[in-house]
Amino acid sequence: MKIQRIETLVREQVAVVRVTTDDGVVGIGQTAPYQAATSAHVLHTMVAPLFLGKDPWDVETLVDECVRVHYKFPSSFLHRALAGVDTALWDVLGQVTGQPVAKLIGGHARASVPMYASSMKRSITPEEEAERLAGLVAAHGFRAVKIRVGEAMGRDTDAAPGRTERIVPHVREVLGTGVDISADANGGFSVGRAIRVGRMLEDHGYFHFEEPCPFPELEQTAQVAAALDIPVSGGEQDISMPQFQRMISGRVVDIVQPDIGYIGGMSRARKVAVLAEAAGIPCTPHCANDSLLQVFTLHLAAAMPACTQYQEWSIEHTPWSQGVYEPVLQVVGGAVPAPTSPGWGVTLDPAFEKTADITTSAA
């Protein structure tokens, strides 16, 4: 079995990847969303040539070789493109074996994956946010949620004056003590401000504090984690395995959050989860939208022993991420069952293919 054809299907912010082998097996994957056309261009010029004609069973070796060959270009776009091919190849292997990808990367560590309702909005008022989260808890049985505080990479600014100090106690008051609440700063705070916000989160019984400081500044995040009792999480933006090794071995974070689309695919995200397991810290993969990345993340969380906590479930439904695949995953009773169908267990929505711009690289 050899990789014969690699296609990208680009529609707005999504680039789906379709791999076909010489014996007709087809697998689907996806690059990380946003700037999809650029990711697709990088895929065809820098990634696909290293995979065409190769054995899909060598997926992890091929992924490592791609990163090695392009050592002068350790960019986010390279890893986004690589994630598209990697995830499509895992689907190929699942189709061939008749097994879900979760089984191929380790097996079912759990029968279902508990999810937290993850807000992506800072434009929403504390009152509106608390109301919609309470509605989701009631409708889908979520036992955990996450809000946004500060401003992304905001240098101690807030999305609205005083919003952080208002939303933290208000959401707790509305949801009560029966729901775990976390907060994400997206790198918005200095060390001092992050510690003060973290203590406020502790006072209101929050579950974890995500990316308090700019993500490249590991030393700043480490200072915050050392000063607080609330677990500090991070890692979503990182693409370097040595950086994850430093983050985990140096106890920079208490929870590590690789993103399958950003880091370069399932092969590399799985390795981060193994590092976390060895270090005895939880792995909670980042997943900020409801495209195919949500499917990939479900398989990772179902399989890896380190994924013991609530996993991220975006509650935003952007128009560009709708109608990509079927059947669409659903949260029932706060969880999603571990996948059992071959590969990713989903297929492309025919309407998506009809509206996408298709580019092909062939052996």
Side-chain angles (χ1 to χ4, degrees):
M1 185 169 62
K2 303 296 182 184
I3 301 168
Q4 185 178 66
R5 188 165 67 250
I6 300 175
E7 300 167 282
T8 53
L9 297 84
V10 177
R11 189 191 72 185
E12 298 182 66
Q13 302 291 352
V14 175
V16 169
V17 179
R18 186 164 55 195
V19 168
T20 305
T21 68
D22 57 357
D23 53 0
V25 180
V26 178
I28 60 171
Q30 186 192 306
T31 70
Y34 301 108
Q35 299 296 328
T38 301
S39 296
H41 175 73
V42 172
L43 186 152
H44 288 291
T45 57
M46 299 178 70
V47 179
L50 298 174
F51 285 80
L52 289 168
K54 302 297 177 61
D55 184 347
W57 282 105
D58 293 332
V59 54
E60 293 203 11
T61 297
L62 294 170
V63 166
D64 288 346
E65 181 69 359
C66 183
V67 175
R68 186 191 69 81
V69 166
H70 293 304
Y71 71 95
K72 284 187 177 293
F73 308 98
S75 72
S76 174
F77 278 114
L78 176 67
H79 289 79
R80 286 167 174 259
L82 180 58
V85 177
D86 170 274
T87 51
L89 289 177
W90 280 106
D91 194 36
V92 166
L93 300 183
Q95 303 301 325
V96 170
T97 60
Q99 295 293 327
V101 173
K103 289 281 190 179
L104 299 182
I105 63 172
H108 282 165
R110 48 199 57 86
S112 64
V113 178
M115 299 291 180
Y116 69 81
S118 185
S119 169
M120 305 293 157
K121 289 186 177 181
R122 287 184 168 85
S123 58
I124 193 169
T125 68
E127 293 75 20
E128 292 168 334
E129 186 72 289
E131 182 180 359
R132 74 165 180 158
L133 290 173
L136 290 166
V137 168
H140 299 283
F142 286 106
R143 297 184 297 279
V145 304
K146 188 173 75 179
I147 63 171
R148 303 278 157 163
V149 295
E151 183 64 275
M153 303 296 278
R155 298 178 177 176
D156 288 340
T157 58
D158 216 335
R163 181 178 181 275
T164 294
E165 281 72 19
R166 289 188 295 115
I167 196 171
V168 169
H170 183 72
V171 172
R172 172 55 75 200
E173 180 182 0
V174 171
L175 296 186
T177 58
V179 176
D180 287 321
I181 309 172
S182 297
D184 189 350
N186 290 114
F189 298 137
S190 64
V191 171
R193 171 83 168 125
I195 292 173
R196 290 192 294 275
V197 171
R199 287 174 178 154
M200 178 173 58
L201 296 175
E202 290 175 346
D203 289 342
H204 292 281
Y206 272 55
F207 190 77
H208 74 76
F209 186 13
E210 184 170 342
E211 269 194 342
C213 300
F215 72 91
E217 307 297 342
L218 295 187
E219 296 81 5
Q220 293 183 21
T221 300
Q223 290 181 62
V224 175
L228 297 175
D229 292 326
I230 185 173
V232 169
S233 63
E236 69 178 72
Q237 308 290 351
D238 292 284
I239 61 175
S240 162
M241 293 303 297
Q243 185 80 334
F244 275 106
Q245 170 67 14
R246 286 188 286 270
M247 190 184 306
I248 293 170
S249 64
R251 300 291 170 168
V252 173
V253 296
D254 305 296
I255 302 167
V256 68
Q257 298 172 295
D259 184 297
I260 292 173
Y262 297 167
I263 196 176
M266 179 64 80
S267 299
R268 288 165 60 83
R270 184 187 67 79
K271 292 178 180 179
V272 175
V274 172
L275 287 174
E277 180 188 0
I281 70 171
C283 177
T284 302
H286 173 257
C287 186
N289 61 83
D290 57 352
S291 65
L292 277 168
L293 269 295
Q294 208 165 47
V295 177
F296 308 155
T297 305
L298 172 65
H299 283 256
L300 181 66
M304 305 312 293
C307 296
T308 55
Q309 297 185 344
Y310 306 105
Q311 302 299 306
E312 185 168 27
W313 186 269
S314 173
I315 60 174
E316 317 302 346
H317 300 291
T318 51
W320 52 263
S321 62
Q322 305 307 297
V324 175
Y325 74 92
E326 54 188 14
V328 175
L329 301 179
Q330 300 291 335
V331 176
V332 178
V336 179
T340 56
S341 299
W344 299 124
V346 299
T347 59
L348 281 184
D349 186 322
F352 177 85
E353 183 170 358
K354 291 178 181 176
T355 57
D357 294 326
I358 302 177
T359 304
T360 303
S361 292

